[in-house]
Amino acid sequence: MSMLYTLHSENPQARTVETIRDALRNGAVMLYPTDTVYAIGCDLNSKSAVQRVRQIKQLANDKPLTFLCPSLSDIAQYAIVTDAAYRVMRRLIPGPYTFLLPTTKLVPRLVMHPKRRTTGIRVPDHPVSLALLNALGNPIISTSAHLIDEAGDVVPDSIADSPNISRFDLFDCLEKRVDLIIDTGTEPGYHVSTILDLTEEEPIIVRRGLGWEAAASWAAEMRY
């Protein structure tokens, strides 16, 4: 059974954040809110926790995982950022954007795409996510939460497609699979992030999510 922690959505309580931080450092897996959807996450550097996240989401090891960083300077530690990529990210972060980038040696193999050696990185615009990142000092895995049925299988319709799913539905489905649940009193979003591939000179939108129009406009400007 997971532990439920209540945090203020705008001013998360420092002591509770520190308690969650300590649990993450010890390999805990959590369900937590972001600026897009509720996510399942853990410390990027906890191999056992990352493996558990994959099991919960039923993801094969060749499926890369996205993680959160608190700032653009932090991204540069974990990804190779070209001048062109930097210009795009500086314009769009923080916000609902996932950037596909070549990895550095700091990214665990269990997280990256095994053949392309790329990873997805976000800088969220969310006080709770940022408070956790800053307290932990490491990136945090962020993969959208799905409902789990009684047999332990992922329900086909994710919360990204189900605006009527309440946070309590999500908590009930995942409370036996995660160690921590963070409740800010707000309902989960159901629009996923926009994904931009920045591995080449020109950015390519590979998934339209929140804010994709702004990303498309900025990408078009860069071509001229």
Side-chain angles (χ1 to χ4, degrees):
M1 189 68 69
S2 59
M3 291 289 295
L4 179 67
Y5 293 94
T6 301
L7 286 175
H8 192 281
S9 60
E10 298 296 329
N11 298 292
Q13 302 90 322
R15 183 169 295 181
T16 305
V17 168
E18 291 170 359
T19 299
I20 296 169
R21 174 205 62 196
D22 292 344
L24 292 174
R25 287 178 176 172
N26 287 322
V29 173
M30 66 177 173
L31 176 64
Y32 69 109
T34 72
D35 53 347
T36 54
V37 298
Y38 255 84
I40 299 170
C42 64
D43 185 336
L44 177 75
N45 293 328
S46 175
K47 183 177 180 180
S48 62
V50 173
Q51 289 174 328
R52 284 182 58 203
V53 171
R54 286 193 173 279
Q55 291 170 356
I56 293 170
K57 286 293 297 285
Q58 300 178 13
L59 295 175
N61 286 343
D62 61 350
K63 299 294 184 181
L65 289 168
T66 293
F67 58 86
L68 306 182
C69 284
S71 69
L72 182 52
S73 61
D74 287 281
I75 287 179
Q77 297 182 54
Y78 297 91
I80 299 169
V81 180
T82 64
D83 290 342
Y86 176 82
R87 290 196 299 272
V88 173
M89 291 190 290
R90 183 180 63 179
R91 180 73 173 260
L92 295 176
I93 63 175
Y97 302 99
T98 298
F99 305 105
L100 299 182
L101 294 160
T103 64
T104 68
K105 293 180 179 180
L106 290 181
V107 177
R109 297 179 67 88
L110 191 59
V111 174
M112 71 175 71
H113 191 291
K115 294 182 179 179
R116 297 185 66 198
R117 299 187 68 83
T118 56
T119 190
I121 306 180
R122 289 190 56 212
V123 177
D125 187 13
H126 193 279
V128 170
S129 297
L130 291 171
L132 293 171
L133 285 164
N134 288 317
L136 182 63
N138 291 329
I140 294 175
I141 294 294
S142 178
T143 178
S144 59
H146 288 67
L147 297 179
I148 306 294
D149 64 19
E150 293 182 357
D153 296 322
V154 174
V155 175
D157 290 330
S158 72
I159 64 168
D161 301 318
S162 306
N164 295 321
I165 296 298
S166 76
R167 69 187 191 280
F168 299 115
D169 292 326
L170 200 57
F171 296 172
D172 287 345
C173 283
L174 292 170
E175 65 176 353
K176 295 181 180 179
R177 294 177 175 270
V178 300
D179 304 302
L180 314 172
I181 294 176
I182 299 175
D183 184 8
T184 59
T186 57
E187 294 304 320
Y190 57 92
H191 292 297
V192 293
S193 65
T194 291
I195 300 178
L196 291 93
D197 188 336
L198 301 182
T199 58
E200 303 296 337
E201 189 66 23
E202 292 187 357
I204 300 172
I205 295 177
V206 297
R207 183 178 75 186
R208 293 184 178 184
L210 278 175
W212 77 266
E213 297 93 341
S217 175
W218 177 235
E221 288 180 22
M222 289 188 61
R223 298 190 182 101
Y224 299 100

